[in-house]
Amino acid sequence: MKAIIYISFFLFFLLIQSKSHAQQDIHFAQFYELPMLRNPALAGIFNGKTRFTAAYRNQWESVTVPYRTMALGSEVKIFKGISDGDFITLGLQITNDVAGDARLQRTQILPVVNYHKLLNEENATTISLAFMGGLVSENFDLSKLKFDDQFVGGNYSSSNPTSQTFSRTSFKYYDLSTGMSFTSFINDNIKMYVGASLFHVNNPKLSFMMDNSIKLNRKWGFNGGFTMRTNANNKLVVYGDHLRQGPNRITQAGFLFTHNFIPADEEGELSISAGAVIRLNDAFIPVVKLNKQKFGIGVSYDANISSLRTASNFKGGFELTLSLLDPFNRDNSNTEQTKCPKNNW
């Protein structure tokens, strides 16, 4: 019970620390479904051997050209480490987002390796260290932009010359991130995790104008959460993140209450979850998720509560997530040797 109180204070501390909701990186409302974007060291913290996830987000359609973000993730555990009880997770996180009139597009292909060190077998206490790095490409469509000097006599024509020039409309760079996490069973009914991560360790250069002084700010992330089984059929999941990137801050926290319709099966042949996420000073987000055997589908909608709510009429973004657990395995009993906390999300 003390651990729940400590983690609750940790999540509350994250909420009161946030001053601004803007940030440079993409984010998802159902962020617990995309652990490698939260912290590379959360890869592999699930009950099973293999997991695939997908997400689609459509935002600000009521205000401007919608921002569309997609993500694909995979995690595979290798049950062999340096010491007995240790294991390794290999992951791959792919994202693509398109924004604005010029279709500014960013695509990331980021492999992940996470080493899990078993500290205490009785409580399945594990500390994990991960690295994530790969190639990122950015581009935009110059033909979609309109400049002031292309308006002649109040009329616009794409054939009118412009003095605005760009050195390039696309570029690529390598990105490196790292993270650590700590997971443990507090008792038979309570599991917890905390973590910290640093994204863009190499501070990559970003510019369409060949300007080497423009760099992507490093981003610090802090994560925490717990799962508590209230009885054989139900459980409560609480989770939160605090992210700091340059002068910007984003804090998000949420909960999911899950009812399992088949209590005889620990993994849940059929279950439904309902809850909400709050992104401080930005959005209130109801969430519903359905799990059927190895397949899960989640739906959420951002109700905008920021200063933009007058223009958006409280409309934010629709988000859909899909997850698939161990599609190639009929029997997952061998996964228990990993000693990793189960059902953290």
Side-chain angles (χ1 to χ4, degrees), residues 281-293:
N281 300 324
D282 185 21
F284 174 77
I285 309 161
V287 181
V288 177
K289 183 179 181 182
L290 178 67
N291 284 289
K292 174 63 175 175
Q293 294 180 333

Side-chain angles (χ1 to χ4, degrees), residues 59-79:
Q59 189 173 14
W60 302 126
E61 191 164 15
S62 64
V63 179
T64 183
V65 177
Y67 288 41
R68 294 189 172 94
T69 309
M70 292 162 281
L72 294 172
S74 63
E75 302 156 81
V76 179
K77 296 177 185 177
I78 301 174
F79 303 112

Side-chain angles (χ1 to χ4, degrees), residues 122-248:
E122 182 179 354
N123 295 326
T125 300
T126 305
I127 189 168
S128 304
L129 173 65
F131 295 93
M132 179 171 72
L135 184 66
V136 182
S137 66
E138 298 202 26
N139 63 82
F140 71 96
D141 187 348
L142 183 59
S143 66
K144 301 294 184 181
L145 291 178
K146 298 178 181 180
F147 300 99
D148 290 345
D149 52 5
Q150 290 180 295
F151 289 83
V152 178
N155 297 315
Y156 167 80
S157 175
S158 59
S159 62
N160 291 335
T162 176
S163 60
Q164 302 295 327
T165 60
F166 291 86
S167 303
R168 53 185 176 174
T169 59
S170 65
F171 63 90
K172 296 180 175 64
Y173 59 90
Y174 291 95
D175 196 12
L176 176 65
S177 303
T178 186
M180 295 187 69
S181 67
F182 176 86
T183 59
S184 182
F185 279 61
I186 297 172
N187 57 41
D188 290 340
N189 295 316
I190 303 173
K191 306 100 181 181
M192 57 78 69
Y193 67 95
V194 293
S197 57
L198 178 59
F199 292 87
H200 321 307
V201 174
N202 56 324
N203 212 197
K205 299 172 183 177
L206 301 178
S207 179
F208 289 103
M209 305 298 292
M210 304 298 290
D211 185 349
N212 292 332
S213 66
I214 301 175
K215 296 183 178 181
L216 180 61
N217 288 329
R218 295 185 179 98
K219 181 176 71 175
W220 287 95
F222 304 93
N223 328 103
F226 66 88
T227 297
M228 179 173 63
R229 289 198 175 275
T230 57
N231 55 44
N233 299 348
N234 303 317
K235 68 177 180 180
L236 174 67
V237 182
V238 178
Y239 46 87
D241 287 349
H242 178 65
L243 308 172
R244 308 171 70 91
Q245 188 173 19
N248 303 310

Side-chain angles (χ1 to χ4, degrees), residues 97-109:
D97 62 291
V98 183
D101 293 323
R103 297 185 59 80
L104 178 62
Q105 184 170 190
R106 178 191 301 176
T107 301
Q108 303 179 100
I109 303 176

Side-chain angles (χ1 to χ4, degrees), residues 257-279:
F257 183 81
T258 300
H259 176 70
N260 189 348
F261 293 98
I262 306 178
D265 185 350
E266 185 179 347
E267 294 306 313
E269 291 285 345
L270 178 64
S271 65
I272 188 168
S273 305
V277 173
I278 181 72
R279 191 180 307 117

